[in-house]
Amino acid sequence: GDSVTQMEGPVTLSEEAFLTINCTYTATGYPSLFWYVQYPGEGLQLLLKATKADDKGSNKGFEATYRKETTSFHLEKGSVQVSDSAVYFCALSGPLMNRDDKIIFGKGTRLHILP
Amino acid sequence: DTGVSQDPRHKITKRGQNVTFRCDPISEHNRLYWYRQTLGQGPEFLTYFQNEAQLEKSRLLSDRFSAERPKGSFSTLEIQRTEQGDSAMYLCASTQLGQITDTQYFGPGTRLTVL
């Protein structure tokens, strides 16, 4: 079945460092890909998404590019802030407008940013 | 639009008791999803509704679990004869089928602890 694999955490970086969180997926067809973020004490929030190959999703300085050839959707940010400390989930769902679009999540990567 | 709300936010119960959780989706969202998240894991799909019809149930949803969405608005998730393994965060999400976007909006979750 469809699945998502992301790098294990925790990941600890200093403020202003470059961030990469790796994510690869297994799916039939052409899934939509997402990054969700869960800040301490808060609910899941959509960070960014991409719905077709070579699309780049971006938000709040974070970026991820849908790479079909490598089945990857790595999350990057050029300069992290303490406020970026959270758990990040890579996820996929069926193609856009699919009848059954439940989301399949990775296990999450906890990110700690040190001041 | 006040977002997805869930009640209660926390529930502590003794093994063998029944519990019921409520989810109020974003108004006029016709799809509603339930997920379960255990410690250190990503959310896992349980079931979803389109309007009042329950269209899919995960094999994770044993016969002790039942979900309803009687009028196509709020939904309830009931767990009968709770077990310690039911301890988890139960998340609700909603979306509007038919929009260009397939974004699911998540509630804050109900944390269940079974003693």
Side-chain angles (χ1 to χ4, degrees):
Chain A
D2 296 355
S3 65
V4 175
T5 302
Q6 60 183 106
M7 63 188 289
E8 292 188 15
V11 173
T12 302
L13 296 172
S14 297
E15 202 166 25
E16 300 183 2
F18 183 85
L19 168 71
T20 299
I21 301 178
N22 291 336
C23 171
T24 57
Y25 67 90
T26 301
T28 54
Y30 301 92
S32 294
L33 301 176
F34 308 88
W35 278 98
Y36 277 83
V37 59
Q38 191 169 37
Y39 297 103
E42 298 185 17
L44 275 171
Q45 301 175 27
L46 178 65
L47 180 59
L48 54 84
K49 68 176 184 180
T51 57
K52 61 182 186 296
D54 300 325
D55 267 2
K56 177 185 285 188
S58 61
N59 186 25
K60 298 181 180 180
F62 291 89
E63 293 183 339
T65 301
Y66 190 144
R67 300 290 188 196
K68 183 166 174 57
E69 64 276 15
T70 54
T71 61
S72 65
F73 193 55
H74 304 320
L75 182 68
E76 297 182 336
K77 186 175 185 181
S79 177
V80 293
Q81 306 300 313
V82 172
S83 58
D84 294 327
S85 298
V87 181
Y88 292 81
F89 294 92
C90 186
L92 66 81
S93 72
L96 190 64
M97 305 301 287
N98 191 15
R99 175 178 174 77
D100 169 17
D101 57 356
K102 60 181 179 286
I103 297 177
I104 296 171
F105 289 87
K107 292 186 176 182
T109 302
R110 184 173 298 277
L111 176 65
H112 293 292
I113 306 300
L114 304 175
Chain B
D1 180 354
T2 59
V4 179
S5 62
Q6 294 187 245
D7 183 70
R9 296 290 303 274
H10 302 275
K11 179 69 176 179
I12 300 174
T13 191
K14 294 183 179 179
R15 189 177 54 186
Q17 298 295 304
N18 299 343
V19 295
T20 300
F21 311 140
R22 176 179 170 124
C23 170
D24 286 89
I26 294 172
S27 59
E28 298 183 358
H29 274 191
N30 54 14
R31 280 208 171 172
L32 186 149
Y33 299 78
W34 285 99
Y35 294 83
R36 181 173 70 185
Q37 184 178 15
T38 54
L39 199 61
Q41 302 294 315
E44 296 174 291
F45 168 78
L46 292 179
T47 188
Y48 85 95
F49 293 83
Q50 183 166 319
N51 299 313
E52 65 276 10
Q54 188 172 16
L55 296 186
E56 185 176 346
K57 293 192 289 186
S58 162
R59 57 185 169 79
L60 294 176
L61 213 64
S62 75
D63 56 8
R64 295 185 297 105
F65 289 70
S66 62
E68 294 182 342
R69 195 183 183 198
K71 297 182 179 179
S73 56
F74 74 92
S75 176
T76 58
L77 178 67
E78 181 183 16
I79 309 175
Q80 295 183 329
R81 305 181 303 281
T82 52
E83 302 173 356
Q84 288 185 325
D86 297 331
S87 295
M89 177 76 85
Y90 290 84
L91 300 171
C92 176
S94 71
T95 191
Q96 177 69 13
L97 182 68
Q99 289 184 340
I100 297 300
T101 179
D102 53 358
T103 299
Q104 291 185 21
Y105 295 88
F106 282 80
T110 294
R111 182 171 296 282
L112 173 65
T113 302
V114 181
L115 302 176

